[in-house]
């Protein structure tokens, strides 16, 4: 699996569910036509990367723990033509409200392109993907010119990874366009491009953990994706048991925008630093050696602690052992950080003191991006991270446990999964402080409207919710949200715009590159089964 490249496809119907394929064909055709109008020629190919919805596992990827997102059908497309006659990169957006970009890349030694993280412009994500690819592959040759036109349907600021989909799509588009510059003209594997995309997005000033990019590139149809980051990046498809009615997930956007690049210093990046500080202090408390680099996250603390004490997993399944370990670590957090002195937050000076570092040393080791805070919440962040990973393990284990059973009772499965989602939302609200009034209102309404579970998704502070609903109840569930939430808060939102704010999505495939020749149905399925599995 890791050696497979991003698939080249010749029919887009494998990317979308039956009820969305017609509108998708119109969009792709329009993109190609607009490209020809703009550049006077047809695109050579179209790169595609989807957004994602995180089913469970919020703010734990950068602590080294596994998460469980699924790719959605909304996506980013970049139509590309290679221009051999000149070195200029031209980028436009099918939405005219986004200004075009034109640049000539510099040498790799000069930084390739200049990115100002303080300038919150859409094209920064393209620049990040472009630069990231050349940096990581150490390409020193002069790039070929590229003509690009982007179309995106992932709602920005909704927590569905529109920015990461754009970065991943850019990496995919650039590696295809610059193939002749690669060593032996060998395109990296999809796994390698996911890692490149993770690193590339950091050029825009966010300290992400890698879930978004991994899901966008490596997802498989009809499955969620369990993503592990430590000790190495590893993905495992997690399929949902067959039930009557089937399981469905409804995404509802609060329409409260959370721009990671703007709010990162007081939200996302701050949480990363708090998690790193908590990991270091726990390691010192438990007598665990810290590497000379100082880099240590909460997953490494867990692994090192149980190796040190000689944990006995005899007679336990992997899930049972993981759940027990995570429960013990949550208790250790309570003892270490639950004191009156620490529980309600500490100053930066106090956090450095507990870490055994000077303030300058702490900043050098753990703060690579701007942050702003008066107090640092070590107790709440560490407790959330360990308890949230426990819920991820339980969610995956529940799906896999029911997979081998006949006549799975939908209500039983949905109730167990839904309870974990509800507990995740409570933890995000009370421990990680990443919810908001609109998310609280919408998740509560979703449960009253029949959702088995509902939680924020995609970092929070606005953005979207994801709700587990029986498939046969989806139309009335969405109708209730439209009436009780959107008519109340957004009365002018109607038609297609309202349908884009609240919708059900099937698990989508990951990144692909469209080359444009239609295949017959049988040939199409045989061609892509090797990479994506049964379609």
């Amino acid at each position: 699996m890791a050696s497979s490249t991003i698939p080249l496809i010749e029919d887009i119907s494998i990317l979308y569910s039956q009820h969305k394929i017609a509108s998708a064909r119109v969009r792709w055709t329009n993109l190609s036509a607009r490209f020809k109008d703009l550049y006077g020629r047809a695109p050579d190919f179209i790169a595609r990367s989807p957004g994602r919805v995180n089913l469970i596992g919020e703010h734990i990827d950068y602590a080294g723990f596994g998460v469980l997102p699924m790719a959605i059908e909304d996506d980013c497309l970049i139509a590309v033509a290679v221009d051999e006659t000149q070195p200029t990169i031209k980028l436009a957006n099918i939405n005219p409200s986004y200004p075009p970009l034109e640049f000539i890349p510099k040498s790799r030694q000069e930084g390739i392109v200049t990115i100002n993280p303080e300038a919150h412009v859409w094209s920064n994500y393209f620049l990040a993907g472009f630069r990231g690819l050349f940096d990581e592959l150490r390409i020193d040759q002069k790039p070929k010119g590229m003509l690009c036109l982007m179309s995106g349907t992932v709602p920005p600021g909704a927590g569905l990874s529109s920015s990461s989909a754009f970065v991943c799509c850019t990496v995919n588009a650039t590696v295809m366009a610059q193939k002749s510059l690669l060593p032996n003209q060998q395109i990296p594997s999809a796994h390698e491009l996911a890692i490149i995309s993770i690193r590339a997005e950091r050029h825009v000033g966010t300290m992400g953990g890698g879930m978004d990019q991994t899901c966008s590139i490596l997802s498989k149809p009809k499955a969620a994706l369990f993503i592990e980051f430590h000790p190495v990046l590893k993905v495992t498809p997690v399929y949902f048991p067959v039930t009557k009615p089937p399981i469905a997930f409804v995404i509802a956007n609060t329409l409260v925008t959370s721009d990671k690049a703007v709010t990162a210093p007081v939200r996302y990046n701050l949480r990363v630093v708090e998690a790193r500080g908590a990991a270091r202090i726990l390691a010192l408390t438990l007598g665990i050696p810290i590497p000379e680099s100082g880099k240590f996250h909460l997953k490494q603390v867990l692994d090192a602690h149980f190796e040190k004490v000689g944990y006995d997993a005899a007679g336990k399944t992997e899930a049972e052992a993981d759940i027990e370990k995570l429960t013990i670590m949550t208790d250790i957090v309570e003892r270490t950080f639950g004191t009156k002195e620490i529980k309600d937050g500490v100053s930066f000076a106090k956090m450095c003191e507990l870490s055994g570092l000077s303030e300058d040393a702490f900043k050098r080791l753990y703060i690579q991006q701007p942050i702003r805070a008066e107090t640092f919440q070590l107790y709440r962040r560490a407790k959330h991270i360990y308890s949230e990973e426990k819920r991820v393990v339980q969610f995956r284990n529940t799906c896999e446990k029911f997979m081998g059973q006949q006549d799975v009772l939908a209500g039983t499965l949905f109730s167990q999964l839904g309870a974990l989602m509800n507990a995740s939302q409570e933890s995000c609200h009370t421990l990680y402080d990443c919810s908001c009034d609109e998310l609280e209102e919408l998740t509560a309404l979703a449960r009253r409207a029949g959702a088995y579970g509902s939680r924020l998704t995609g970092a929070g502070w606005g953005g979207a919710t994801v709700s587990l609903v029986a498939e046969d109840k989806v139309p009335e569930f969405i109708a209730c949200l439209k009436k009780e939430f959107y008519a109340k808060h957004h009365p002018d939102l109607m038609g297609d715009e309202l349908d884009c704010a609240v919708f059900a999505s099937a698990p989508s495939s990951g990144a692909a590159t469209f080359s444009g020749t239609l295949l017959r149905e049988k040939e199409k399925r045989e061609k892509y089964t090797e990479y994506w599995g049964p379609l």
Side-chain angles (χ1 to χ4, degrees), residues 39-114:
Y39 295 119
R41 57 176 290 186
D44 296 326
F45 62 87
I46 298 176
R48 183 256 184 184
S49 289
R52 65 96 189 97
V53 59
N54 191 21
L55 300 179
I56 196 161
E58 214 64 58
H59 286 283
I60 61 175
D61 54 344
Y62 51 75
F65 283 111
V67 291
L68 194 65
M70 73 176 197
I72 60 176
E73 294 172 288
D74 290 277
D75 52 22
C76 173
L77 308 177
I78 302 179
V80 180
V82 179
D83 188 348
E84 303 272 5
T85 65
Q86 50 81 37
T88 304
I89 310 298
K90 297 181 180 181
L91 171 68
N93 195 309
I94 206 161
N95 182 340
S97 65
Y98 295 101
L101 170 73
E102 186 171 319
F103 67 95
I104 297 177
K106 297 177 286 188
S107 69
R108 189 166 61 84
Q109 291 72 23
E110 295 174 300
I112 304 170
V113 295
T114 300

Side-chain angles (χ1 to χ4, degrees), residues 15 19 102 135 144 175 281-282 318 370-371 468 492 509:
L15 303 176
H19 71 285
E102 186 171 319
D135 275 345
K144 296 180 179 180
V175 79
I281 296 164
L282 278 177
E318 182 180 357
I371 63 166
L468 193 164
D492 296 330
S509 59

Side-chain angles (χ1 to χ4, degrees), residues 504-518:
S505 179
S508 174
S509 59
T513 307
F514 174 70
S515 58
T517 303
L518 293 176

